[in-house]
Amino acid sequence: MYPVNQAYEKKAEGIIIFNIAEFSNVLLCDYMAELSWNPKLKFERFLEYYAKRRYNRGSWRAMIECYKLIEKASRDIFVYGLASWVDPLLNLEKVLEEDLERCVSLCEESLSKALEVYDLERDNELYRSELLELKLIVYKLKAMLHLKRAMKTRCENTRLFNKHLSECIGWLKKALRELEGDARFSISSTREWIKQVSGADISVYDEASKVHKGFITCPENLRELIGRIESLRRLEGKDKPTKSSL
């Protein structure tokens, strides 16, 4: 949310919202839509309106606290962004482990807040979508935390290096299980749907999906990332990995 405010303040020419983001980043998409009509709308004011519109009287206050924690976590753009980039190794060295731990903690707290109202909102499809998003954020950031720890031990302790890689892969697979079989998040399924739309230019979607391939919102991209990280495993007793091998 914080970067969106910055973009509007700096008079960005435009912002692209991929169709998949409608289901994987609901709060941000809604806020961006509101800003299109009211560029001066502050996030705090929007948040109350958003929560009251979507949740029961007994839930919306807890959800506001949930969103505030996520917004706080997202202020560290490099750290929070690790939940999205399909090539995290390009950015992971720029991130401090303690900052990543802090971000994970905030996101876990946010998820806990959302789960407090599960019994009240379990039949609310809007709630289920946002709960899924929160889970994915936590799972992917925890994966990146273990990947960061693996990088720290890559030249000293092969066993510990592999252990952290396994933890990383485990969290990514947990995220993948949340998305498997859900056509809303699939680039290929969405492409097939667009091909059936009269007058749709599939080449535009193909160009956009090339950009979107840099993000791990989709099962296709998660599987690719898991495969790349699995390839980093080393046999114990082999030569120590060099920095360039990562």
Side-chain angles (χ1 to χ4, degrees):
M1 281 64 76
Y2 182 62
V4 173
N5 271 336
Q6 282 189 321
Y8 274 95
E9 287 168 5
K10 294 181 179 180
K11 303 189 185 304
E13 292 184 11
I15 296 175
I16 295 173
I17 302 177
F18 286 96
N19 61 302
I20 294 167
E22 181 184 349
F23 306 106
S24 64
N25 208 337
V26 183
L27 176 63
L28 180 61
C29 289
D30 205 306
Y31 185 37
M32 289 170 67
E34 288 289 338
L35 286 172
S36 298
W37 297 99
N38 182 7
K40 295 183 179 180
L41 178 65
K42 296 300 181 183
F43 179 69
E44 294 76 13
R45 182 70 188 90
F46 161 78
L47 200 52
E48 182 176 342
Y49 161 71
Y50 178 84
K52 286 181 176 179
R53 175 161 48 90
R54 296 170 72 89
Y55 298 109
N56 294 315
R57 182 176 296 179
S59 305
W60 65 265
R61 287 185 176 85
M63 293 306 295
I64 284 179
E65 293 306 311
C66 161
Y67 298 136
K68 284 181 177 178
L69 288 162
I70 281 291
E71 193 272 340
K72 187 176 181 181
S74 72
R75 284 177 175 268
D76 194 329
I77 300 170
F78 265 114
V79 176
Y80 190 77
L82 291 171
S84 300
W85 295 320
V86 79
D87 195 1
L89 292 172
L90 291 176
N91 298 286
L92 206 54
E93 288 194 351
K94 303 173 186 175
V95 171
L96 296 176
E97 184 177 347
E98 53 265 36
D99 290 338
L100 187 46
E101 288 173 341
R102 189 180 307 113
C103 189
V104 168
S105 178
L106 286 168
C107 293
E108 286 184 314
E109 191 178 348
S110 174
L111 177 58
S112 294
K113 278 289 179 187
L115 288 170
E116 286 179 8
V117 298
Y118 179 79
D119 288 341
L120 288 171
E121 299 289 348
R122 68 172 72 195
D123 296 326
N124 181 347
E125 186 176 347
L126 300 175
Y127 169 79
R128 292 200 303 270
S129 291
E130 292 188 304
L131 188 61
L132 171 60
E133 181 188 354
L134 290 169
K135 287 180 180 179
L136 292 174
I137 290 169
V138 170
Y139 297 166
K140 289 186 283 187
L141 283 176
K142 292 188 86 163
M144 295 303 103
L145 178 57
H146 283 288
L147 186 56
K148 176 69 176 180
R149 290 170 176 168
M151 292 174 68
K152 283 179 61 178
T153 61
R154 64 188 180 273
C155 296
E156 291 82 27
N157 189 324
T158 302
R159 184 190 63 79
L160 194 55
F161 173 75
N162 286 337
K163 179 178 182 294
H164 283 305
L165 285 186
S166 294
E167 291 284 351
C168 171
I169 291 166
W171 283 108
L172 290 176
K173 285 184 175 179
K174 194 168 184 178
L176 182 60
R177 285 194 293 272
E178 295 282 350
L179 297 178
E180 290 280 25
D182 193 331
R184 297 177 303 170
F185 296 95
S186 170
I187 291 176
S188 55
S189 296
T190 304
R191 189 180 191 278
E192 290 304 308
W193 175 78
I194 289 175
K195 283 169 64 177
Q196 299 175 35
V197 177
S198 177
D201 186 348
I202 195 65
S203 65
V204 174
Y205 181 78
D206 288 341
E207 284 300 311
S209 65
K210 289 178 184 177
V211 179
H212 194 270
K213 195 169 176 60
F215 300 90
I216 49 177
T217 311
C218 312
E220 296 95 330
N221 297 352
L222 262 175
R223 283 191 288 268
E224 178 183 332
L225 178 59
I226 290 168
R228 290 181 57 215
I229 293 174
E230 284 180 332
S231 71
L232 297 176
R233 292 183 194 270
R234 298 184 61 82
L235 293 176
E236 293 185 27
K238 287 280 188 179
D239 293 337
K240 293 176 181 178
T242 62
K243 187 174 181 179
S244 60
S245 69
L246 294 178

